[in-house]
Structures are given as structure tokens and as C-alpha cells.
Amino acid sequence: MIPREVIQKIRRVQIRTSHKVDEMLAGTWHSAFKGRGIEFEEVRPYQIGDDVRTIDWNVTARSGEPYVKLFREERELSVMLLIDLSGSQSFGTNQQTKREVVTELGATLAMSAIKNNDKVGLTLFTDHIEKSIPARKGSRHVLRLIREMLYCEPMGSGTDIRQTLEHLNRISNRKTVVFLISDFQDENYESTLKVARRQHDIIPVVISDQREARMPNVGLIRLQDAESGEIITLDTARRSNREAYARIYRERSEARDAMFRRLRLEPIHIETGVDIVEPLRRYFHKRESRV
């Protein structure tokens, strides 16, 4: 039995994200994510304006008249959400933690998939796989995914994207639309991401907070790394310290985005405290125009 307050919280997330899907993302999901292939359906006589590349030369030769092949899109997609629950997801300074953002984002993407009759699955990870749920359809399935995103208590605190992608390749033997949702505070996963990108449609979603890029002048503070537990004391009154902090963040971000460009991956950037819909809508419209 699930406690009543848990059910109510899950329902609130479902209703809120459902409205986002209905009002802001309607239609763009289907247009941006075509089916995983096309299947031959039938042949019919050639009509003016038909693409000559679809002519069925065997039937044309037998009948003496031009015929073209018709194809049907194989619509059903399989979507997998890979969601980072490492210790750094508990950070947030703009009315939201990163964990809250990834939960809202994951629920919105899951609702979008289900409303388009696609299957959706979930893998929650830290420095190991915390939970893995196969892709299925249906509103009850989405409620289960939302519950796991809300209440999963991770055992690990670090981030291991390489291991997570290897897990994905083991459990998904067909082409899958993969949303890799993380703050990407990890290293040495490019080669594994390259392999996964050949098999799947990988979409990195980078979650960040404004204080990760800019340190305010608040004097002496103690900082603890949420993943390693290391504690340091930093004098933020010194301009050189603030500049070094910003430089390190910028260099890491640029290196990450350069890797995405090498692999021809287009990331979605979402910051805490900012409505998630607009970045998603921009991405879907841009992808739709390419399709």
C-alpha cells in the first residue's frame, strides 16, 4: 500500500506536467521524433508528382505501366530516461534543487511519450545503477516512474555515466530515444557515449545552477563536494578566488560541450528556477525543422 500523501504528491506532479504537455508541447513531440523506420505497405499506379525514386521497377516491367511503392511509418518509439541522482543533484540556489528539476523534466518527457502512444522506461543512476525499469506504455506505468523519480533514495553519491551507458547498451537492443539527464560532473565517458550514439538517439540534457558558474562575495565559507564529501574553506572576498572558481567551471563546461560537438550531439541546457518548457520547445522545433 502506498501512503495517501505519496499518491497525492505523485498526482500533483502528473497534473502539472500533463498541463505542460497539453499546452506547450502538443504536436512537437510527434513531429520531432519520427518512428524508428518505415515498412512497405503496397504498390499503386504512378501519379504525376510522385517521387521517381519510389518506382517499383519489377512491377512496372511486368505490367507495362509505372507503379510506385508506398511505405508506412513504423510510429511506435521506445524512449529511455537516464536520470542522474548523484549527490550534486541536491544542490540548488534558485528556489529549486537540481533533483527537483530532473524529476519535473523526467515526468514531462514521460507524459509526452505516453500521450503519443510511445513506450518509456527509466534508469536512475549514481556511481552505479540505482533502479532500472523497462519501457512500457500506459498512465499507470508513468505514475510508477514519477514515484521512483520522487522517492528513490540513492545508495551512491558519485556519477558514473560510462557504466550507465554500458547498462543501456545491454538492455536495449533496438534503437531507442535516450534522454541523458545529468549535470555531467564526470569524466572519461566519451568513448562509451560514442558507441551508444551509434545504436541510439542520444539527447544530453545538462542541468545546472547559476551559483555553479558564479561565486558571490560572501567572505569565508566552507564548501563540501556533494559527491566526494571533501570539504574546503574558501575566501570569496578575494577576487582571484572568485575568478578561478568561474574559470574552472567555464573550462569544464566548454570541454563537455566540445565533446558533444565531436559526437554530433545537440544538448538541451536547463537551469534551476527556470521554466523547463521553453528549452524543450526550442529543441523540439529545431529538431522538427531538420526532420
Side-chain angles (χ1 to χ4, degrees), residues 197-214:
R197 188 235 182 281
R198 295 194 193 106
Q199 174 66 25
H200 305 293
D201 185 356
I202 307 286
I203 303 164
V205 186
V206 182
I207 308 299
S208 63
D209 184 273
Q210 60 181 351
R211 284 290 171 246
E212 293 175 315
R214 298 176 298 276

mmCIF file of all heavy atoms in Angstrom, residues 197-214:
data_model
loop_
_atom_site.group_PDB
_atom_site.id
_atom_site.type_symbol
_atom_site.label_atom_id
_atom_site.label_comp_id
_atom_site.label_asym_id
_atom_site.label_seq_id
_atom_site.Cartn_x
_atom_site.Cartn_y
_atom_site.Cartn_z
ATOM 1 N N ARG A 197 25.908 6.230 -29.079
ATOM 2 C CA ARG A 197 25.338 7.136 -30.069
ATOM 3 C C ARG A 197 25.110 6.445 -31.418
ATOM 4 O O ARG A 197 24.216 6.807 -32.174
ATOM 5 C CB ARG A 197 26.285 8.329 -30.231
ATOM 6 C CG ARG A 197 25.728 9.459 -31.083
ATOM 7 C CD ARG A 197 26.670 9.796 -32.209
ATOM 8 N NE ARG A 197 26.190 10.901 -33.021
ATOM 9 C CZ ARG A 197 25.258 10.767 -33.959
ATOM 10 N NH1 ARG A 197 24.707 9.601 -34.187
ATOM 11 N NH2 ARG A 197 24.875 11.815 -34.669
ATOM 12 N N ARG A 198 25.921 5.433 -31.739
ATOM 13 C CA ARG A 198 25.732 4.700 -32.992
ATOM 14 C C ARG A 198 24.452 3.870 -32.964
ATOM 15 O O ARG A 198 23.804 3.667 -33.997
ATOM 16 C CB ARG A 198 26.922 3.770 -33.243
ATOM 17 C CG ARG A 198 28.248 4.472 -33.463
ATOM 18 C CD ARG A 198 29.266 3.509 -34.036
ATOM 19 N NE ARG A 198 30.619 4.038 -33.980
ATOM 20 C CZ ARG A 198 31.554 3.636 -33.126
ATOM 21 N NH1 ARG A 198 31.272 2.659 -32.256
ATOM 22 N NH2 ARG A 198 32.759 4.166 -33.132
ATOM 23 N N GLN A 199 24.098 3.369 -31.794
ATOM 24 C CA GLN A 199 22.940 2.493 -31.656
ATOM 25 C C GLN A 199 21.660 3.259 -31.345
ATOM 26 O O GLN A 199 20.575 2.879 -31.775
ATOM 27 C CB GLN A 199 23.206 1.469 -30.547
ATOM 28 C CG GLN A 199 22.026 0.569 -30.197
ATOM 29 C CD GLN A 199 21.644 -0.362 -31.319
ATOM 30 O OE1 GLN A 199 22.472 -0.687 -32.166
ATOM 31 N NE2 GLN A 199 20.384 -0.779 -31.349
ATOM 32 N N HIS A 200 21.781 4.347 -30.603
ATOM 33 C CA HIS A 200 20.600 5.036 -30.087
ATOM 34 C C HIS A 200 20.605 6.519 -30.473
ATOM 35 O O HIS A 200 21.618 7.069 -30.898
ATOM 36 C CB HIS A 200 20.544 4.906 -28.562
ATOM 37 C CG HIS A 200 20.584 3.497 -28.071
ATOM 38 N ND1 HIS A 200 19.573 2.595 -28.292
ATOM 39 C CD2 HIS A 200 21.549 2.817 -27.381
ATOM 40 C CE1 HIS A 200 19.879 1.431 -27.759
ATOM 41 N NE2 HIS A 200 21.073 1.539 -27.200
ATOM 42 N N ASP A 201 19.449 7.140 -30.287
ATOM 43 C CA ASP A 201 19.285 8.580 -30.492
ATOM 44 C C ASP A 201 19.503 9.247 -29.136
ATOM 45 O O ASP A 201 18.588 9.320 -28.316
ATOM 46 C CB ASP A 201 17.882 8.854 -31.036
ATOM 47 C CG ASP A 201 17.664 10.318 -31.391
ATOM 48 O OD1 ASP A 201 18.568 11.139 -31.144
ATOM 49 O OD2 ASP A 201 16.579 10.634 -31.920
ATOM 50 N N ILE A 202 20.732 9.708 -28.868
ATOM 51 C CA ILE A 202 21.096 10.231 -27.556
ATOM 52 C C ILE A 202 20.876 11.747 -27.510
ATOM 53 O O ILE A 202 21.360 12.481 -28.366
ATOM 54 C CB ILE A 202 22.570 9.933 -27.225
ATOM 55 C CG1 ILE A 202 22.876 8.441 -27.374
ATOM 56 C CG2 ILE A 202 22.903 10.437 -25.824
ATOM 57 C CD1 ILE A 202 22.324 7.573 -26.298
ATOM 58 N N ILE A 203 20.152 12.196 -26.480
ATOM 59 C CA ILE A 203 19.910 13.623 -26.277
ATOM 60 C C ILE A 203 20.411 13.995 -24.880
ATOM 61 O O ILE A 203 19.767 13.688 -23.873
ATOM 62 C CB ILE A 203 18.418 13.960 -26.404
ATOM 63 C CG1 ILE A 203 17.888 13.506 -27.771
ATOM 64 C CG2 ILE A 203 18.183 15.461 -26.196
ATOM 65 C CD1 ILE A 203 16.395 13.436 -27.848
ATOM 66 N N PRO A 204 21.576 14.647 -24.779
ATOM 67 C CA PRO A 204 22.052 15.069 -23.456
ATOM 68 C C PRO A 204 21.239 16.261 -22.948
ATOM 69 O O PRO A 204 20.979 17.206 -23.692
ATOM 70 C CB PRO A 204 23.507 15.480 -23.717
ATOM 71 C CG PRO A 204 23.821 15.041 -25.120
ATOM 72 C CD PRO A 204 22.521 14.986 -25.843
ATOM 73 N N VAL A 205 20.836 16.196 -21.685
ATOM 74 C CA VAL A 205 20.143 17.315 -21.045
ATOM 75 C C VAL A 205 20.997 17.749 -19.864
ATOM 76 O O VAL A 205 21.143 17.017 -18.880
ATOM 77 C CB VAL A 205 18.735 16.928 -20.578
ATOM 78 C CG1 VAL A 205 17.998 18.166 -20.055
ATOM 79 C CG2 VAL A 205 17.941 16.285 -21.719
ATOM 80 N N VAL A 206 21.584 18.945 -19.966
ATOM 81 C CA VAL A 206 22.538 19.437 -18.965
ATOM 82 C C VAL A 206 21.792 20.289 -17.938
ATOM 83 O O VAL A 206 21.215 21.323 -18.276
ATOM 84 C CB VAL A 206 23.655 20.266 -19.631
ATOM 85 C CG1 VAL A 206 24.661 20.734 -18.586
ATOM 86 C CG2 VAL A 206 24.345 19.456 -20.729
ATOM 87 N N ILE A 207 21.816 19.840 -16.676
ATOM 88 C CA ILE A 207 21.162 20.556 -15.584
ATOM 89 C C ILE A 207 22.219 21.358 -14.820
ATOM 90 O O ILE A 207 23.273 20.822 -14.448
ATOM 91 C CB ILE A 207 20.468 19.575 -14.619
ATOM 92 C CG1 ILE A 207 19.555 18.609 -15.388
ATOM 93 C CG2 ILE A 207 19.674 20.340 -13.565
ATOM 94 C CD1 ILE A 207 18.446 19.281 -16.155
ATOM 95 N N SER A 208 21.934 22.628 -14.579
ATOM 96 C CA SER A 208 22.916 23.474 -13.897
ATOM 97 C C SER A 208 22.220 24.449 -12.956
ATOM 98 O O SER A 208 20.997 24.598 -12.963
ATOM 99 C CB SER A 208 23.753 24.256 -14.929
ATOM 100 O OG SER A 208 22.918 25.131 -15.676
ATOM 101 N N ASP A 209 23.031 25.100 -12.133
ATOM 102 C CA ASP A 209 22.541 26.130 -11.225
ATOM 103 C C ASP A 209 23.455 27.351 -11.376
ATOM 104 O O ASP A 209 24.676 27.209 -11.582
ATOM 105 C CB ASP A 209 22.576 25.622 -9.782
ATOM 106 C CG ASP A 209 21.988 26.627 -8.797
ATOM 107 O OD1 ASP A 209 22.740 27.502 -8.314
ATOM 108 O OD2 ASP A 209 20.782 26.540 -8.511
ATOM 109 N N GLN A 210 22.898 28.532 -11.256
ATOM 110 C CA GLN A 210 23.657 29.754 -11.517
ATOM 111 C C GLN A 210 24.861 29.906 -10.585
ATOM 112 O O GLN A 210 25.892 30.461 -10.967
ATOM 113 C CB GLN A 210 22.741 30.975 -11.370
ATOM 114 C CG GLN A 210 22.118 31.121 -9.981
ATOM 115 C CD GLN A 210 21.191 32.319 -9.882
ATOM 116 O OE1 GLN A 210 21.136 33.142 -10.789
ATOM 117 N NE2 GLN A 210 20.462 32.421 -8.776
ATOM 118 N N ARG A 211 24.783 29.377 -9.353
ATOM 119 C CA ARG A 211 25.877 29.533 -8.408
ATOM 120 C C ARG A 211 27.044 28.599 -8.736
ATOM 121 O O ARG A 211 28.127 28.748 -8.182
ATOM 122 C CB ARG A 211 25.390 29.272 -6.987
ATOM 123 C CG ARG A 211 24.588 30.432 -6.423
ATOM 124 C CD ARG A 211 25.495 31.638 -6.159
ATOM 125 N NE ARG A 211 24.705 32.822 -5.815
ATOM 126 C CZ ARG A 211 24.622 33.897 -6.556
ATOM 127 N NH1 ARG A 211 25.258 33.952 -7.712
ATOM 128 N NH2 ARG A 211 23.898 34.932 -6.178
ATOM 129 N N GLU A 212 26.842 27.635 -9.612
ATOM 130 C CA GLU A 212 27.948 26.787 -10.036
ATOM 131 C C GLU A 212 28.888 27.552 -10.964
ATOM 132 O O GLU A 212 30.066 27.213 -11.079
ATOM 133 C CB GLU A 212 27.417 25.544 -10.752
ATOM 134 C CG GLU A 212 26.648 24.611 -9.835
ATOM 135 C CD GLU A 212 26.029 23.454 -10.586
ATOM 136 O OE1 GLU A 212 25.442 23.685 -11.661
ATOM 137 O OE2 GLU A 212 26.110 22.323 -10.092
ATOM 138 N N ALA A 213 28.365 28.560 -11.625
ATOM 139 C CA ALA A 213 29.176 29.331 -12.569
ATOM 140 C C ALA A 213 29.747 30.600 -11.954
ATOM 141 O O ALA A 213 30.799 31.074 -12.387
ATOM 142 C CB ALA A 213 28.329 29.699 -13.794
ATOM 143 N N ARG A 214 29.072 31.137 -10.935
ATOM 144 C CA ARG A 214 29.498 32.420 -10.363
ATOM 145 C C ARG A 214 29.442 32.336 -8.838
ATOM 146 O O ARG A 214 28.388 32.034 -8.270
ATOM 147 C CB ARG A 214 28.593 33.555 -10.854
ATOM 148 C CG ARG A 214 28.633 33.770 -12.356
ATOM 149 C CD ARG A 214 27.644 34.840 -12.798
ATOM 150 N NE ARG A 214 26.269 34.448 -12.497
ATOM 151 C CZ ARG A 214 25.537 33.671 -13.279
ATOM 152 N NH1 ARG A 214 26.046 33.168 -14.397
ATOM 153 N NH2 ARG A 214 24.285 33.363 -12.954
#
